[in-house]
């Protein structure tokens, strides 16, 4: 199972690709950040996020996209941008027929550190260990994207098996595919 | 100037196309609603909004898309969906190189009724009068989309002239165009 984790944001949208199955060592295939200029028009920032994510989807062809579920508890202005960037990520996946999973920040922290209240350093340290990296990925958004992907691989093995079966069935009957091929 | 107004929403996304210039009678070219099923997966709802809006953009080829600016003052769950639907609208426009304008609900109400606190019935009545319709467009989301388009035509004549000049310049130098041609 290959998962693209997306930590949505307009200024920095973290992306990380992890491959593996629950109970086995995981492999990081790629990690990075899609950035958009803070002084650009909102519609152009969303377009830049789309173009960036499309490149990641083209290059890594994930079977699932795991996106952080956005809540409105923080700074209102930031949250709206985060919600909008997450919409772009979900849309890019849905257009290709890739299943989307949403995980809350505390689900992700609990999955990789054992505590839903872990801080960024702890998450970064566990991501580094679990993926056998030399150093924690930076910025934190990139590490968070990897943690999302790991969380998804670990949380939903039964769900993943179902999704693989559905994907195989869809591949066998391509007329039902709705995604664009662009 | 032809404007597509979008009152963003996941359950009902209002759309209305108005043509005209400030100081002259306006013409409604089309009005409607893009609906998505409340029980569908969020990523598929966003995809359905995108597909619906793409059809409107294909059919009417607006020069500008006016979208309601979303605030976080209301129900948190609803607002997140509204913000995400508005992101899809902005993205669809930006991808085609169409300028996007955001107007707040009170700017729109003030533009068409003279009061930023007008109720839905008052907005519907003025939209009906200004566009010389037989009856107020329903549902209210459709009327709101028309009000947004009218507001945009009236509020920014100078800005519109500038945008037309920029569009003409871009058309004359197509190598700078970033939009997809899908």
């Amino acid at each position: 199972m290959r998962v693209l984790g997306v930590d949505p944001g307009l200024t920095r949208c973290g992306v990380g690709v992890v491959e593996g199955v629950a109970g086995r060592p995981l492999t990081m295939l790629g990690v990075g950040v899609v950035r958009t200029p803070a002084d650009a028009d909102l519609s152009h920032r969303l377009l830049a996020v789309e173009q960036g994510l499309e490149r990641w989807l083209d290059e890594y062809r994930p079977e699932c996209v795991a996106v952080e579920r956005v809540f409105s508890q923080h700074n209102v202005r930031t949250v709206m941008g985060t919600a909008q960037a997450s919409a772009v990520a979900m849309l890019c996946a849905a257009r290709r027929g890739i299943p989307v999973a949403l995980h809350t920040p505390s689900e992700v922290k609990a999955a990789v550190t054992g505590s839903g209240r872990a801080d960024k350093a702890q998450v970064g340290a566990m991501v580094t260990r679990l993926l056998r990296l030399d150093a924690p990925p930076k910025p934190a958004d990139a590490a968070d994207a990897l943690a999302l992907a790991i969380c998804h691989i670990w949380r939903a093995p039964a769900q993943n098996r179902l999704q693989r079966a559905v994907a195989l069935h869809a591949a066998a009957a391509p007329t039902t595919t709705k995604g664009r091929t662009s």
Side-chain angles (χ1 to χ4, degrees), chain A:
Chain A
M1 152 122 307
R2 182 179 293 191
V3 178
L4 171 68
V6 179
D7 182 31
L10 285 176
T11 304
R12 287 183 307 277
C13 183
V15 277
V17 185
V18 178
E19 192 159 59
V21 292
R24 295 278 191 90
L26 302 169
T27 309
M28 180 183 85
L29 300 182
V31 65
V33 178
V34 174
R35 293 172 196 272
T36 79
D39 59 349
D41 181 85
L42 177 54
S43 65
H44 291 111
R45 299 185 79 180
L46 295 169
L47 182 61
V49 170
E50 177 181 66
Q51 290 169 339
L53 292 177
E54 288 286 342
R55 281 192 290 272
W56 281 81
L57 291 166
D58 281 341
E59 185 168 350
Y60 292 100
R61 309 257 157 214
E63 292 149 77
C64 181
V65 175
V67 183
E68 186 178 296
R69 190 184 290 279
V70 184
F71 290 106
S72 187
Q73 70 226 14
H74 309 292
N75 178 295
V76 167
R77 210 189 149 88
T78 310
V79 160
M80 299 307 261
T82 309
Q84 293 176 322
S86 80
V88 174
M90 286 187 265
L91 186 63
C92 289
R95 215 187 274 142
R96 292 171 184 243
I98 303 174
V100 173
L102 299 175
H103 298 287
T104 65
S106 47
E107 283 169 353
V108 175
K109 289 173 189 172
V112 302
T113 74
S115 162
R117 295 179 188 174
D119 63 15
K120 292 221 170 271
Q122 216 179 328
V123 170
M126 283 308 295
V127 164
T128 308
R129 182 176 307 171
L130 294 166
L131 298 175
R132 289 152 291 139
L133 309 176
D134 295 329
K138 293 200 174 157
D141 315 78
D144 286 347
L146 291 171
L148 263 158
I150 296 170
C151 168
H152 183 68
I153 292 171
W154 283 357
R155 273 179 66 94
Q159 199 185 339
N160 293 350
R161 278 196 296 276
L162 178 64
Q163 286 169 350
R164 272 202 297 275
V166 171
L168 280 172
H169 182 263
T175 52
T176 62
T177 304
K178 276 184 178 169
R180 290 187 189 176
T181 52
S182 73

